Amino acid sequence: MAQGKWQELLAIIGVVLVFNLRVQATFMVEKNSLSVTSPESLKGNYDSAIGNFGIPQYGGTMVGSVTYPKEGTNACKSFSVFNMNFKTSRTGGLPVVLLVDRGDCYFALKVWNAQNAGAAAVLVADDKDEPLITMDSPEEDNASADYLQNITIPSALIEKKFGDRLKKALSAGDMVNINLDWRESLPHPDDRVEYEFWTNSNDECGPKCDTQMDFVKNFKGAAQILERGGYTQFTPHYITWYCPEAFILSKQCKSQCINHGRYCTPDPEQDFSQGYDGKDVVLQNLRHLCVFKISTDLKKPWVWWDYATDFQIRCPMKEKKYSTDCAEEVVKSLGLPLDKIQHCMGDPDADAENPVLKKEQEAQVGHGSRGDVTILPTLIINNRQYRGKLDKGAVLKAICAGFQETTEPSACLSDEVETNECLSNNGGCWQNTKANVTACKDTFRGRICECPLVEGVRFQGDGYNHCEAVGLERCKIDNGGCWENTHEGTSFSACLILQEKGCKCPRGFTGNGIDSCEDIDECKEKLACQCPECKCTNTYGSYNCQCQGDLLYMMQHDTCISKKGTSSRLGWSVVFLVLAGLAIAGVAGYVLYKYRLRSYMDSEIRAIMAQYMPLDSQNDIHQHLQEDI
């Protein structure tokens, strides 16, 4: 491209950037918490700005020991030149957090050199007193692309005043230990994470475009699992600029914009004379947005990931397939309604606003805790800009940090994403190793101790020292935590099925019912089998009482009786007397009953007959009445 045209394009882009957002631009610095644990003079919490490269440990923490190099303090040269290595040489040693000075080279190069020298993290001390800024990566060229993609350690910028205090403590011989905490770097208000990915359908912007394309392909599977399960709400976005009114009729604006200069992107090859134009990119970006809108209306928003991936593979600029026809073939192959997508896109030649793209321009403006979106790619999670490498594992880790504890999907608890604190000493929580039951619940940001629910059985307690099964079904899980034993084929249990909690030793045992129940020696304690003719033998959980000769033991009365009628006259006499008494009482009752019944019937019959004929008793009464008169 001619130098004059290139400068003209830069001028246009510069004007667009100044006026595009229509409001005062805001750039938000994403921070993690840094705390100094020693020496005492530095103890406290300090702010640090997360670097926009490498892999911040979202959801995690790192404890390390600060080191300030004796030479190469700006870290612009490889530390091998100075024969320095910061890798921990002894097992159990704290990781080294290298403190370096700002200036003379890119932030990312400093971190790359520190990583190669064995540092676990990097703190860059500002060289002037000013508010913290985000350490960004340089524009990727072929020379820097390799190391930018290979930076894996976290880094942060700290204020000059704090950096000077660290250096002073180190020069005095103090051991400076710090804790880097990324657990609250992203908000986690509920059980769903909302995230946005600002990208581009262009594949001719060098390593940065390659990075975006690789990320979409690699992250597609995890993104669709999270979206299908309702764990996340994803929204793709595309940056556009508008052409200032003074340049609308220029060749540059006509080739870069649609809708009469309202929506523009720069020329993909940065050459107006060949290849695709910026307006081709705007149209494909718009189609991507409409694919998302229509698939969301169909309640299948995850289809965007299929479309974006297939479009990259089937319609690349490099093969001259970046066209409407190719894009529509992809739409058809995914079973999406082409007519609805075309209607969503509208007329790109109309001198009117496009509702979809207008909404995109408004979304570029920062709001709340989120800054303006001015660079590609940009990832925003729970309204906070993600800082770090655009890598599947790193991004998934950041998304998982946005879930409220205990609501994370299983994808967040895989070995490649997080550390399971429950594997070490059960996280310090209660556990029952016999029943394989634990109160330790692994979460992305750590662990919580909470009594569990197992097979419908609820446990109650503090989760740390005690959990107890409760409810009528509790005995099926480790016998409700109660004592149990099997002796010579007979089972004994202290778990009472009809009680919702508690343990009680069964009859014949004594103890707390939880970890011990001991057999009671009824013979020794003289609790049973005490009749003169009895011989007592203790058994496990009970006793055996035998009578002398052919006598029979009656446990209820703790006595012996004869098996034959003549052997124990006293015993059978008692039985005979009882039976005789019952018989006499029965006969007497029957006689009394018959007598009362006969008397009742006689009186009834006499009353009836008196109504029809005079009886002797009635004549006597009548005679007595006359004599009285």
Side-chain angles (χ1 to χ4, degrees), residues 290 328 337-347:
C290 286
E328 290 183 348
L338 182 59
D339 57 337
K340 290 186 178 181
I341 291 174
Q342 291 173 336
H343 181 266
C344 169
M345 293 180 66
D347 182 5

Side-chain angles (χ1 to χ4, degrees), residues 502-538:
C503 303
K504 183 179 180 181
C505 291
R507 184 176 180 179
F509 293 88
T510 183
N512 59 20
I514 299 174
D515 50 28
S516 69
C517 283
E518 296 183 2
D519 172 54
I520 298 174
D521 189 339
E522 289 86 356
C523 301
K524 184 178 180 180
E525 300 292 334
K526 296 183 178 182
L527 300 176
C529 197
Q530 297 301 303
C531 54
E533 303 91 350
C534 297
K535 180 182 179 182
C536 187
T537 303
N538 187 58

Side-chain angles (χ1 to χ4, degrees), residues 194-427:
E194 299 173 5
Y195 69 108
E196 311 167 14
F197 181 45
W198 291 81
T199 183
N200 202 328
S201 63
N202 176 14
D203 58 16
E204 283 287 353
C205 60
K208 186 158 286 191
C209 278
D210 295 338
T211 298
Q212 294 179 68
M213 293 171 62
D214 289 342
F215 170 71
V216 171
K217 287 188 290 186
N218 294 334
F219 198 68
K220 169 187 166 184
Q224 290 184 322
I225 290 173
L226 294 172
E227 199 74 12
R228 284 175 182 269
Y231 300 112
T232 59
Q233 179 178 300
F234 167 73
T235 307
H237 287 293
Y238 296 83
I239 290 180
T240 61
W241 297 274
Y242 72 90
C243 192
E245 188 174 351
F247 297 94
I248 288 178
L249 299 179
S250 67
K251 178 182 177 181
Q252 289 79 13
C253 275
K254 287 182 178 180
S255 65
Q256 313 310 307
C257 311
I258 65 172
N259 292 93
H260 288 244
R262 288 178 173 84
Y263 314 105
C264 317
T265 62
D267 188 286
E269 302 93 357
Q270 300 179 355
D271 190 338
F272 295 116
S273 63
Q274 64 178 9
Y276 294 97
D277 294 326
K279 65 181 181 181
D280 297 319
V281 178
V282 177
L283 285 172
Q284 294 299 348
N285 289 348
L286 176 58
R287 184 173 284 106
H288 278 64
L289 288 167
C290 286
V291 165
F292 177 74
K293 183 179 184 302
I294 299 304
S295 61
T296 300
D297 291 343
L298 296 172
K299 304 198 182 304
K300 300 188 295 184
W302 51 84
V303 174
W304 177 89
W305 291 91
D306 293 315
Y307 177 80
T309 302
D310 290 356
F311 181 81
Q312 291 174 359
I313 296 172
R314 297 172 59 179
C315 310
M317 285 183 172
K318 297 173 183 178
E319 298 179 16
K320 308 300 180 185
K321 296 180 180 179
Y322 191 84
S323 65
T324 297
D325 290 341
C326 183
E328 290 183 348
E329 286 299 318
V330 176
V331 170
K332 293 176 184 177
S333 69
L334 295 174
L336 295 173
L338 182 59
D339 57 337
K340 290 186 178 181
I341 291 174
Q342 291 173 336
H343 181 266
C344 169
M345 293 180 66
D347 182 5
D349 297 322
D351 186 6
E353 297 280 6
N354 180 294
V356 176
L357 292 177
K358 182 180 180 182
K359 186 176 179 181
E360 288 298 290
Q361 285 188 344
E362 291 171 350
Q364 288 172 223
V365 180
H367 54 85
S369 60
R370 198 208 80 187
D372 299 331
V373 179
T374 57
I375 60 175
L376 292 177
T378 293
L379 186 69
I380 296 172
I381 304 173
N382 282 353
N383 210 36
R384 292 276 183 87
Q385 291 192 18
Y386 165 81
R387 302 299 186 196
K389 182 180 180 182
L390 197 63
D391 170 82
K392 175 189 173 182
V395 171
L396 184 58
K397 195 175 185 71
I399 287 176
C400 292
F403 287 103
Q404 196 172 71
E405 283 190 305
T406 74
T407 67
E408 306 94 337
S410 58
C412 292
L413 303 177
S414 61
D415 293 340
E416 62 181 284
V417 178
E418 64 97 38
T419 301
N420 188 345
E421 284 80 3
C422 292
L423 296 179
S424 177
N425 194 33
N426 197 51

Side-chain angles (χ1 to χ4, degrees), residues 538-607:
N538 187 58
T539 62
Y540 191 76
S542 186
Y543 63 95
N544 184 23
C545 190
Q546 292 182 338
C547 296
Q548 296 176 359
D550 60 352
L551 297 180
L552 180 67
Y553 180 67
M554 295 184 67
M555 181 178 290
Q556 295 85 350
H557 302 287
D558 194 32
T559 188
C560 294
I561 63 174
S562 175
K563 297 180 182 179
K564 299 180 181 180
T566 58
S567 297
S568 181
R569 288 189 294 272
L570 178 61
W572 283 108
S573 296
V574 172
V575 174
F576 176 77
L577 288 174
V578 170
L579 292 176
L582 290 174
I584 293 171
V587 171
Y590 178 74
V591 171
L592 179 62
Y593 165 75
K594 292 293 288 182
Y595 172 76
R596 291 178 63 83
L597 179 63
R598 179 66 178 269
S599 299
Y600 174 75
M601 291 182 66
D602 286 346
S603 63
E604 288 294 314
I605 292 172
R606 289 174 65 85

Side-chain angles (χ1 to χ4, degrees), residues 26-295:
T26 58
F27 185 81
M28 305 299 294
V29 175
E30 306 303 337
K31 300 178 180 180
N32 67 286
S33 176
L34 185 159
S35 61
V36 177
T37 57
S38 68
E40 193 69 30
S41 60
L42 282 176
K43 266 191 177 181
N45 297 322
Y46 302 86
D47 281 336
S48 59
I50 303 173
N52 200 24
F53 46 83
I55 303 179
Q57 301 300 310
Y58 283 104
T61 61
M62 176 187 290
V63 176
S65 179
V66 179
T67 297
Y68 184 61
K70 295 179 180 179
E71 296 181 88
T73 58
N74 59 11
C76 290
K77 292 182 180 180
S78 172
F79 284 99
S80 62
V81 174
F82 308 104
N83 294 319
M84 282 190 278
N85 188 294
F86 305 106
K87 188 173 183 179
T88 305
S89 58
R90 294 180 58 188
T91 302
L94 288 176
V96 171
V97 178
L98 193 64
L99 175 65
V100 300
D101 295 324
R102 181 181 178 180
D104 299 328
C105 63
Y106 290 126
F107 291 119
L109 181 58
K110 297 175 185 288
V111 178
W112 174 244
N113 288 332
Q115 176 178 303
N116 288 335
V122 175
L123 297 180
V124 179
D126 205 342
D127 56 357
K128 52 187 174 182
D129 293 318
E130 61 179 357
L132 291 174
I133 64 170
T134 296
M135 300 187 299
D136 203 358
S137 58
E139 284 300 318
E140 293 180 350
D141 52 32
N142 292 331
S144 63
D146 289 341
Y147 79 76
L148 281 175
Q149 293 306 309
N150 292 318
I151 296 175
T152 58
I153 64 174
S155 59
L157 181 71
I158 61 175
E159 294 177 342
K160 181 180 184 300
K161 184 184 297 184
F162 177 44
D164 290 342
R165 293 184 65 190
L166 289 176
K167 295 173 191 176
K168 183 178 179 181
L170 291 168
S171 64
D174 289 328
M175 182 177 182
V176 179
N177 292 339
I178 66 170
N179 182 34
L180 296 171
D181 190 342
W182 292 270
R183 289 177 297 180
E184 303 301 324
S185 297
L186 289 173
H188 37 87
D190 51 34
D191 59 357
R192 189 182 75 174
V193 171
E194 299 173 5
Y195 69 108
E196 311 167 14
F197 181 45
W198 291 81
T199 183
N200 202 328
S201 63
N202 176 14
D203 58 16
E204 283 287 353
C205 60
K208 186 158 286 191
C209 278
D210 295 338
T211 298
Q212 294 179 68
M213 293 171 62
D214 289 342
F215 170 71
V216 171
K217 287 188 290 186
N218 294 334
F219 198 68
K220 169 187 166 184
Q224 290 184 322
I225 290 173
L226 294 172
E227 199 74 12
R228 284 175 182 269
Y231 300 112
T232 59
Q233 179 178 300
F234 167 73
T235 307
H237 287 293
Y238 296 83
I239 290 180
T240 61
W241 297 274
Y242 72 90
C243 192
E245 188 174 351
F247 297 94
I248 288 178
L249 299 179
S250 67
K251 178 182 177 181
Q252 289 79 13
C253 275
K254 287 182 178 180
S255 65
Q256 313 310 307
C257 311
I258 65 172
N259 292 93
H260 288 244
R262 288 178 173 84
Y263 314 105
C264 317
T265 62
D267 188 286
E269 302 93 357
Q270 300 179 355
D271 190 338
F272 295 116
S273 63
Q274 64 178 9
Y276 294 97
D277 294 326
K279 65 181 181 181
D280 297 319
V281 178
V282 177
L283 285 172
Q284 294 299 348
N285 289 348
L286 176 58
R287 184 173 284 106
H288 278 64
L289 288 167
C290 286
V291 165
F292 177 74
K293 183 179 184 302
I294 299 304
S295 61

